[in-house]
Amino acid sequence: MRTNKFFFTLLFFAFSCIAFAQQNPTAKVAGVVLDENNRPVENASISYQTKTATTDKNGFYEITVPANQKVVLVFTHKNLKNITATFQLKPGENFEFHVMMNDKAEQLQDVVITSSRRRVQGITSIEPETIRKNPSAMPGVESVIKTFAGVNANNELSSGYNVRGGNYDENLVYVNEIEVYRPFLVRSGQQEGLSFTNTDMVQNVDFSAGGFQAKYGDKMASVLDITYRKPTKFGITAEASFLGGSVTGEGISKNKKWSAITGIRYRDNSLFVNSQETQTNFRPTFMDVQTNVNFSPNKRWQFSFLGNASQNRYNYQPLTRQTNFGTIDEPIALQIFYDGQEKDRYQTLFGAFKTTFTQNENNNYRLITSVYHTQEQEYFDIYAAYFLGEVDTNIGSETLGEITFSQGVGSQLNHARNDLDALFINAEVKGTHFINNKKHQIDWGFKYTRENIRDRIVEWEVIDSAGFSLNPPDFDLPNDQPYNPYTGPLVPYQNVRATNFIDIDRLSGFAQWNTKANIGNSQLWVTAGTRFHNWTVSGDGISNAKSQTVISPRAQLALKPDWDSDMIFRLAAGFYHQPPLYRELRDRNGIVNPNVKAQQSIHFVLSNDYNFKMNNRPFKLVSEAYYKTMTDVNTYTLENVRIRYRANNDAEAYAYGLDMRLNGEFVPGTESWLSFGYMKTEENQNDRGFIARPTDQRLKFGILFQDYMPNLPNMKLYLNLVYNTGLPGGSPSYADAYTYQTRLRDYRRADVGFSYVLTERNNERPDGHWIKKFQDLSIGFEIFNLFNNQNAITNTWVRDVYTKNQYGIPNYMTTRVFNVKLTAKL
């Protein structure tokens, strides 16, 4: 059966439609090159591939570059330091870029210059080099996003993130305009392994935290838009560390028509898992292969294929755990002895063909077909016997730190045999048109999706406390042991058994209009559009499903006043629906409700974007105030990264807050930023009153800082620091959220990386030196959780046999971990 599915998947890849590609229209970059004394630099060279321009006696230059793609200009002069600048401009755009060259500043990364379009759209662009250098327990695009205001996460082993009160399922992620998906069964961050995005293949990263345009899909929180690069020459990038390794190769054919980039990654999280309180035998293997192949037979046609195959195996055998908590006067500890093991497997195949046809510089068409196939298995039988009691604190005692008096004794048995097989097939056509000498831009698109899910859930939990089996919270039979004998049936504390064979057919589309106008000497950008989404749920045992449709109009205004200060004001508003995926249709008992409605959110976003100079270095301050009102909310419980929905649309909610981010050259030649966010989100379930949502993380501070040593410029430093106030959570499984409104402790984490770059002075080395063969060769040393903070992700709940109280014992995340890595690029 699985062999046939794999064969048909490959057959689909082989015979998917491929059509049309893109002519490369041009744009112009012009400006003046000055030295540190503001004097014109004559005979400076500006180059891009084979194109070259030279500054005149006034320092002026002009060069024509391709539009709609990333272009790296290199500014060189025999007496001054080289500077690189990365551009991505619209067709026909004339962009002014003035350069200051000197012989002092050490440039750690490219200066990134993009079209003003991203700025007026409220989109944040992230440099791929910043992503690759950022120290993080879970490296990738997501680790950088988590330092932004409005983006929260308290699980360093997960690539998931919450944006402005949304959960992990409310974020859109695109790679080359193709939507990518998260696994379904993963319940713990340490099971995830690898993020989909291979950072060594990334060319451009755009992120919007809300109020995004109609051309993006139907989710309520955010959009992450990633573009993989098209190679222009042969190259190899490799990295090896205690956490795994990666190799990426790229090349282009002699006739420049074919290009390809392929990456292989391997990940092992043993360092982090072994640093936790639970002692384990842990044997994980996370591996994936990605490739992006491009073919351009002529200037008007382009074909591309994006493929990914990943296999995550998670074998986990817990042994013992001891967690100390309580107070100095009354220290308490939870000690657990385990038996059993967990064996999980997540295997995914993903392939997409994208074809682009450019009729002329004003008309562009794209056809995208993709297939996503995931097979997920979650098997475990874990028995845990626990002791809750007082800890011996007498110095010199033979039992120092051990439990000497038990207040609670019990056991717990967890069992699961969960299997899921899902196949998603997508076909999409898009168009872009420029009208009236590019004063207006029209975008449109239609997409059909077929989702086929085969899901079996068999999981149960039995809890024994002090010799008495505990009934589930919603069990009605009285049980007042040990005062009276219990004569009712013995039932598991939790018991979920279901088999679902579900098909979901979706048809969606959008139309969007953009224009730019002048109001006096001020500039105004207007974007307006709408989306529609229709879906129908069918499958075994479903006879009363209804076809549902939602309409989502959206609009954005951006104004750049004619002021001396470089400011842009932006206002965005619109409807954002989230038609349910399979996991949102399934309630906590595993039963599918085919008539779950789309959650609806109305966004209001007011922002200010201010560019300025401080100490003659560029800075940007972005401030955004937002309010979101939500109806038909599908409430859920959150345990680690597993989300269980109630699938009944029985709540309303809201979220509001303020995000601020200051970024710029705090150190000459580098980009760093500071971010601050305040957010409040609450929900009202069945008119019982508003309570905090599971993602109500009030305060957020984030810092990403880059530096180098002036006397040792080869040594670079990268600091990633995050502080979040505590999330609501830690309640017993399936407990009433209105009864448990406690919060976890605040999340504090600092990761730091040091990198010694051996190729820093390559231009001073003689030809033939072995290091000159490398574009980059560096040795890195990383310290994760620098201050060894104890961050909790959930609570384990146990009973006191005497008082009948329940204690919430924090489940701590990783402690301080050291890593060494080697990076090489040819």
Side-chain angles (χ1 to χ4, degrees):
M1 181 75 174
R2 289 182 176 177
T3 303
N4 290 338
K5 292 174 184 174
F6 182 75
F7 172 78
F8 285 117
T9 301
L10 293 180
L11 195 65
F12 179 87
F13 291 162
F15 291 98
S16 286
C17 299
I18 40 181
F20 315 102
Q22 164 139 341
Q23 176 183 353
N24 290 325
T26 61
K28 287 185 179 180
V29 181
V32 175
V33 178
L34 304 173
D35 63 16
E36 57 187 336
N37 297 315
N38 289 324
R39 294 177 299 193
V41 177
E42 188 177 4
N43 293 325
S45 175
I46 301 91
S47 60
Y48 164 70
Q49 293 184 354
T50 58
K51 295 183 179 180
T52 304
T54 305
T55 57
D56 60 18
K57 63 180 181 180
N58 297 316
F60 178 80
Y61 73 94
E62 182 178 288
I63 188 170
T64 301
V65 299
N68 291 333
Q69 68 182 62
K70 214 162 191 179
V71 173
V72 179
L73 291 185
V74 181
F75 295 77
T76 59
H77 190 274
K78 61 182 181 180
N79 297 324
L80 301 171
K81 296 288 184 182
N82 296 349
I83 289 180
T84 59
T86 305
F87 298 81
Q88 188 165 336
L89 306 178
K90 295 186 295 185
E93 184 173 1
N94 295 319
F95 193 88
E96 287 188 10
F97 180 57
H98 306 298
V99 180
M100 180 173 290
M101 302 180 69
N102 58 54
D103 58 356
K104 295 179 181 178
E106 295 292 336
Q107 186 174 326
L108 297 185
Q109 62 180 37
D110 291 349
V111 179
V112 182
I113 306 299
T114 61
S115 166
S116 59
R117 179 176 54 185
R118 284 187 177 86
R119 189 181 176 198
V120 302
Q121 292 175 354
I123 292 175
T124 301
S125 294
I126 311 170
E127 257 303 285
E129 193 64 21
T130 300
I131 299 169
R132 286 189 280 269
K133 298 295 186 181
N134 179 50
S136 174
M138 178 60 69
V141 176
E142 297 85 358
S143 68
V144 176
I145 291 175
K146 290 176 183 179
T147 66
F148 289 0
V151 181
N152 297 308
N154 64 337
N155 191 333
E156 58 265 19
L157 297 181
S158 170
S159 61
Y161 51 90
N162 308 316
V163 180
R164 294 179 177 175
N167 64 33
Y168 301 142
D169 292 337
E170 297 179 19
N171 303 310
L172 284 164
V173 180
Y174 293 97
V175 175
N176 292 353
E177 291 190 283
I178 303 156
E179 185 175 358
V180 298
Y181 302 91
R182 288 174 52 82
F184 287 84
L185 293 185
V186 170
R187 66 174 64 205
S188 170
Q190 64 194 33
Q191 299 172 0
E192 285 191 27
L194 294 163
S195 164
F196 180 90
T197 307
N198 188 330
T199 55
D200 289 331
M201 300 172 64
V202 168
Q203 170 183 289
N204 191 67
V205 177
D206 292 336
F207 177 74
S208 175
F212 45 87
Q213 299 179 358
K215 68 178 182 180
Y216 295 114
D218 294 293
K219 292 290 182 73
M220 295 201 303
S222 71
V223 59
L224 177 62
D225 191 3
I226 299 167
T227 304
Y228 280 176
R229 71 175 182 272
K230 299 174 185 177
T232 57
K233 60 180 180 179
F234 174 80
I236 296 178
T237 302
E239 182 180 294
S241 75
F242 293 155
L243 295 170
S246 65
V247 177
T248 302
E250 57 187 286
I252 189 169
S253 64
K254 290 183 179 180
N255 60 9
K256 309 296 183 182
K257 293 183 177 182
W258 287 90
S259 67
I261 181 169
T262 301
I264 302 174
R265 296 182 295 171
Y266 172 81
R267 177 78 174 178
D268 185 342
N269 277 345
S270 296
L271 272 179
F272 292 109
V273 176
N274 291 335
S275 76
Q276 295 175 317
E277 291 179 321
T278 302
Q279 302 300 310
T280 67
N281 290 325
F282 182 64
R283 299 177 301 276
T285 56
F286 307 133
M287 180 178 292
D288 81 339
V289 179
Q290 288 193 43
T291 186
N292 187 27
V293 181
N294 298 280
F295 174 54
S296 299
N298 54 52
K299 293 183 178 180
R300 301 181 66 186
W301 300 80
Q302 179 176 299
F303 310 92
S304 65
F305 171 76
L306 174 64
N308 175 74
S310 68
Q311 180 173 276
N312 295 350
R313 293 185 180 273
Y314 180 81
N315 299 326
Y316 180 72
Q317 185 179 6
L319 302 176
T320 63
R321 164 188 170 181
Q322 179 167 329
T323 302
N324 298 323
F325 63 106
T327 64
I328 295 177
D329 295 330
E330 296 183 5
I332 304 175
L334 172 71
Q335 190 173 34
I336 305 176
F337 297 91
Y338 295 97
D339 191 15
Q341 62 180 326
E342 178 176 358
K343 289 187 176 182
D344 301 333
R345 185 185 67 188
Y346 310 95
Q347 179 176 299
T348 62
L349 294 173
F350 175 82
F353 284 104
K354 178 181 177 181
T355 54
T356 309
F357 171 65
T358 300
Q359 182 180 5
N360 50 50
E361 65 178 13
N362 293 322
N363 297 283
N364 177 277
Y365 304 91
R366 301 175 301 284
L367 176 66
I368 302 170
T369 58
S370 67
V371 171
Y372 172 77
H373 184 210
T374 180
Q375 293 177 311
E376 303 178 19
Q377 170 186 294
E378 186 181 48
Y379 290 179
F380 57 79
D381 287 284
I382 296 178
Y383 173 79
Y386 72 82
F387 300 87
L388 177 70
E390 299 176 2
V391 178
D392 185 357
T393 57
N394 294 323
I395 299 176
S397 172
E398 294 181 357
T399 59
L400 177 65
E402 297 180 5
I403 296 177
T404 57
F405 181 77
S406 294
Q407 296 175 269
V409 180
S411 62
Q412 177 177 316
L413 176 61
N414 284 285
H415 168 91
R417 294 294 185 271
N418 298 331
D419 292 279
L420 183 139
D421 191 317
L423 179 67
F424 290 15
I425 301 175
N426 298 279
E428 184 176 13
V429 61
K430 292 182 177 182
T432 299
H433 309 279
F434 295 98
I435 302 172
N436 193 13
N437 198 26
K438 295 187 173 59
K439 291 182 179 179
H440 303 274
Q441 178 180 338
I442 303 293
D443 291 276
W444 57 269
F446 294 96
K447 180 179 181 181
Y448 170 75
T449 301
R450 172 77 170 184
E451 301 171 6
N452 177 256
I453 298 98
R454 296 159 297 284
D455 182 25
R456 183 193 71 167
I457 313 165
V458 180
E459 62 179 61
W460 48 260
E461 178 184 18
V462 176
I463 300 178
D464 175 88
S465 178
F468 303 101
S469 178
L470 298 185
N471 288 327
D474 54 356
F475 200 68
D476 294 332
L477 289 179
N479 182 358
D480 59 348
Q481 298 180 88
Y483 306 106
N484 292 296
Y486 173 68
T487 59
L490 294 177
V491 296
Y493 188 75
Q494 297 179 35
N495 187 18
V496 180
R497 292 174 181 268
T499 300
N500 300 310
F501 287 17
I502 302 298
D503 293 312
I504 306 175
D505 293 282
R506 303 179 187 274
L507 181 64
S508 60
F510 73 92
Q512 179 175 292
W513 165 70
N514 298 274
T515 190
K516 178 183 176 182
N518 293 323
I519 303 177
N521 293 325
S522 300
Q523 296 175 302
L524 177 68
W525 291 266
V526 180
T527 300
T530 189
R531 295 189 60 84
F532 78 91
H533 193 127
N534 172 271
W535 73 98
T536 304
V537 181
S538 60
D540 293 356
I542 295 178
S543 58
N544 60 345
K546 299 178 181 178
S547 178
Q548 301 184 58
T549 303
V550 292
I551 306 295
S552 308
R554 307 171 187 175
Q556 296 84 29
L557 299 175
L559 176 67
K560 189 176 189 304
D562 183 25
W563 296 348
D564 293 336
S565 299
D566 183 5
M567 284 192 178
I568 291 180
F569 296 90
R570 177 174 170 266
L571 175 64
F575 286 78
Y576 294 82
H577 290 93
Q578 181 149 329
L581 290 173
Y582 169 70
R583 186 159 57 179
E584 296 164 75
L585 296 172
R586 192 182 70 182
D587 68 14
R588 62 189 186 184
N589 295 315
I591 299 172
V592 171
N593 178 3
N595 295 317
V596 171
K597 298 178 183 179
Q599 300 181 83
Q600 176 179 287
S601 174
I602 304 177
H603 290 198
F604 300 94
V605 181
L606 178 63
S607 65
N608 173 261
D609 185 309
Y610 176 36
N611 284 345
F612 63 97
K613 284 195 173 184
M614 185 167 57
N615 296 329
N616 290 321
R617 296 197 294 271
F619 286 85
K620 173 184 283 192
L621 175 63
V622 178
S623 306
E624 287 197 340
Y626 60 90
Y627 178 81
K628 298 195 292 186
T629 177
M630 291 165 270
T631 55
D632 293 323
V633 173
N634 195 349
T635 56
Y636 59 90
T637 59
L638 180 63
E639 181 183 357
N640 205 300
V641 299
R642 182 180 67 169
I643 298 175
R644 289 287 175 91
Y645 291 92
R646 293 186 174 87
N648 54 12
N649 300 110
D650 64 346
E652 60 179 348
Y654 68 85
Y656 65 81
L658 173 68
D659 293 342
M660 301 182 71
R661 178 170 174 262
L662 174 67
N663 70 290
E665 294 188 18
F666 293 92
V667 175
T670 72
E671 183 186 21
S672 303
W673 58 76
L674 312 173
S675 60
F676 163 77
Y678 171 80
M679 187 268 297
K680 181 178 181 179
T681 181
E682 293 185 322
E683 63 188 18
N684 180 3
Q685 185 179 348
N686 287 326
D687 294 324
R688 298 175 64 187
F690 281 95
I691 59 172
R693 304 193 76 196
T695 54
D696 183 35
Q697 205 152 27
R698 295 294 175 85
L699 292 178
K700 162 69 178 285
F701 295 93
I703 296 176
L704 192 147
F705 187 75
Q706 302 183 62
D707 199 358
Y708 63 91
M709 299 181 182
N711 296 327
L712 188 63
N714 295 43
M715 182 65 73
K716 320 295 183 184
L717 177 144
Y718 307 90
L719 175 66
N720 185 342
L721 191 149
V722 172
Y723 168 81
N724 298 324
T725 52
L727 283 167
S731 60
S733 298
Y734 301 110
D736 186 352
Y738 282 81
T739 303
Y740 291 89
Q741 277 292 294
T742 58
R743 288 181 178 266
L744 299 170
R745 61 176 61 193
D746 294 353
Y747 182 85
R748 299 161 296 169
R749 186 173 179 89
D751 298 324
V752 64
F754 302 90
S755 179
Y756 187 81
V757 183
L758 299 174
T759 52
E760 183 73 15
R761 301 291 185 181
N762 259 359
N763 59 340
E764 300 176 4
R765 292 188 172 96
D767 293 338
H769 194 285
W770 69 273
I771 292 183
K772 292 200 74 170
K773 298 177 182 179
F774 295 89
Q775 293 185 42
D776 178 36
L777 181 62
S778 58
I779 300 173
F781 176 68
E782 297 174 319
I783 308 174
F784 303 114
N785 198 357
L786 177 64
F787 303 112
N788 204 26
N789 294 314
Q790 288 188 311
N791 296 309
I793 183 64
T794 54
N795 282 338
T796 295
W797 291 83
V798 297
R799 288 188 170 217
D800 183 333
V801 69
Y802 297 102
T803 66
K804 302 294 186 283
N805 290 328
Q806 290 197 85
Y807 287 87
I809 293 90
N811 295 318
Y812 294 121
M813 296 295 293
T814 60
T815 58
R816 185 187 295 116
V817 172
F818 301 93
N819 184 42
V820 176
K821 69 177 182 180
L822 173 68
T823 304
K825 184 176 182 180
L826 293 172

